Amino acid sequence: MASKPVTIRVPEELHAQLQERAEAEGTTVTALITEAATNAVRDPRLKGAAEAFRSFIADHADAFDQAFPDDAPDRLDAPGRAA
């Protein structure tokens, strides 16, 4: 995918915080800002979708396991299951 340079000005303190976080995460300031920009334009209908999916799976995990016993993953939260 082609990229386009964007120049922004941020206060020195924010830049220092960005550098510190980037170093801690093993990434770059550019990557942090790109991720933040991507999140800013993400479709708001997706907000909470991951949590809704996790909840659905948690509520129906036993039914999936019974329907597909050979494919049932080891779950840490299930009694008697390997971790």
Side-chain angles (χ1 to χ4, degrees):
M1 173 185 349
S3 63
K4 189 125 178 121
V6 176
T7 302
I8 63 169
R9 295 195 180 280
V10 296
E12 287 183 28
E13 182 179 332
L14 176 57
H15 187 262
Q17 290 171 334
L18 286 165
Q19 284 183 315
E20 186 177 306
R21 181 166 177 180
E23 288 176 20
E25 294 182 13
T27 190
T28 64
V29 170
T30 299
L32 290 177
I33 293 172
T34 301
E35 180 181 2
T38 300
N39 290 339
V41 297
R42 182 167 284 139
D43 189 331
R45 294 174 295 178
L46 296 177
K47 186 174 185 176
E51 185 53 40
F53 178 76
R54 281 188 212 96
S55 177
F56 176 83
I57 294 300
D59 291 347
H60 298 89
D62 291 334
F64 280 102
D65 290 352
Q66 289 173 5
F68 307 100
D70 293 339
D71 297 323
D74 293 335
R75 292 193 347 243
L76 297 176
D77 62 337
R81 290 280 182 95

